Amino acid sequence: MNWVLAAILTICGSSVFVACSNDDNPVAPQNKPLPKVSKVYSSSMVKAESNVAGQWTTLYEKVNERALLYDLQWTGDRLESIQTTERSWVLTYDDNQHIINARLNRTRLNYAYEYDAQGRLARMVETMPYDDTIDHIYYTTYSYSGDKLVKTEETNEFTKGKEPNPTSSAKEVTSYEWKGDNVVSKTVEKELYNGSHATVNYSYEYTKLLNPFYNDIFLLTGIYSVGGFNDGFVISKNLVKTMTIGSSVYYYDYTTAGDRVVSIITDYTAETSAMRITTHSAYDLEYAK
């Protein structure tokens, strides 16, 4: 049962924030620049219950109280720094004002970014510390049709001969389908180290709310996955209403103040006749003046 809980928590942890888009009747005018998010606070609850003779009994419950997740410092449209709860990201720009490197200070966790001739993100190299001597390195390439991302290809390796978990991905290819400015579905093809393959399909429905992270944090996909945000959908213009992964559905709700989204809430329940897992996550947003 522990592995079932761990697997569900892993899925939930990787999908607590999704931002996608729909152009119909957005809250803010299309030509009005969105304000920059300056602070993100997070809180969450996870509960596992067991059904014994028709009675649900709590096996596990964890509540994470509201805490600062990110503090973002802006100068106009330029992101100067990102402070997490305990550390900060050091950002390096090129002459075209593209972020080319992001490093979590006092660690070896590092992201390097490369661009094509049109200024689009072409490649990301993520160096993830595995232990004191071994790094886990991810290589992600990005393919486009016009200004739309249509495919990402990720491969990974361990330095110094470290053997990965056989059921982890040696390669992932993700294909995106768009409707207007929305990613409405994606397919992830996984090639595992044990030689087998897996396919995961995602589909999305959207609200009419504009995504406050639209076009700002796409380059920092790795950074935001570290903090708990989903790292694939800040490329779209609106906020998602539901995300479906196979037979599982994640529900999202939002609180607004004027034309600003001030909270993002997601709920998910996985239930069988014997076990039920419930997750609730909330992100509160503050904006730069």
Side-chain angles (χ1 to χ4, degrees), residues 17 27 34-43 66-68 70 207 209-213 229 239 253-266 281-288:
F17 177 79
V27 170
L34 289 174
K36 301 296 185 183
V37 174
S38 61
K39 289 184 173 60
V40 180
Y41 297 86
S42 67
S43 59
R66 184 178 186 269
L68 180 66
Y70 295 112
T207 69
L209 296 172
L210 290 179
N211 168 20
F213 295 96
F229 284 154
L239 290 170
D253 198 8
Y254 307 91
T255 302
T256 60
D259 62 358
R260 297 185 180 188
V261 174
V262 295
S263 69
I264 302 170
I265 300 167
T266 180
S281 301
Y283 296 93
D284 298 328
L285 310 181
E286 293 182 6
Y287 292 83

Side-chain angles (χ1 to χ4, degrees), residues 5-6 13 26 31 54 74 77-78 112 114 129 137 154-155 172-173 184 186-187 189 216 233 241 266:
L5 175 60
N31 58 356
W74 298 87
D77 289 336
R78 178 181 168 121
E114 301 172 8
I137 304 176
E154 179 184 294
T155 58
E172 288 190 14
V173 178
V184 293
K186 77 172 184 179
T187 300
E189 301 282 350
D216 280 338
F233 294 91
K241 179 169 61 176
T266 180

Side-chain angles (χ1 to χ4, degrees), residues 91-145:
L91 307 179
T92 303
Y93 286 81
D94 64 13
D95 292 339
N96 295 316
Q97 298 304 303
H98 292 138
I99 297 174
I100 56 174
N101 190 266
R103 178 178 56 84
L104 187 60
N105 67 348
R106 302 195 302 276
T107 75
R108 297 200 316 277
L109 180 56
N110 187 83
Y111 299 90
Y113 306 95
E114 301 172 8
Y115 302 85
D116 62 18
Q118 287 74 44
R120 300 171 302 193
L121 180 63
R123 187 171 186 254
M124 180 178 73
V125 180
E126 172 187 352
T127 303
M128 177 77 71
Y130 188 84
D131 59 23
D132 290 339
T133 61
I134 299 169
D135 285 336
H136 190 182
I137 304 176
Y138 295 86
Y139 302 91
T140 305
T141 59
Y142 300 80
S143 301
Y144 299 85
S145 175

Side-chain angles (χ1 to χ4, degrees), residues 213-224:
F213 295 96
Y214 177 54
N215 272 345
D216 280 338
I217 316 296
F218 176 43
L219 305 183
L220 304 178
T221 55
I223 293 175
Y224 269 68

Side-chain angles (χ1 to χ4, degrees), residues 272-289:
T272 67
S273 60
M275 190 172 184
R276 180 168 63 198
I277 306 292
T278 304
T279 66
H280 173 88
S281 301
Y283 296 93
D284 298 328
L285 310 181
E286 293 182 6
Y287 292 83
K289 296 179 179 180

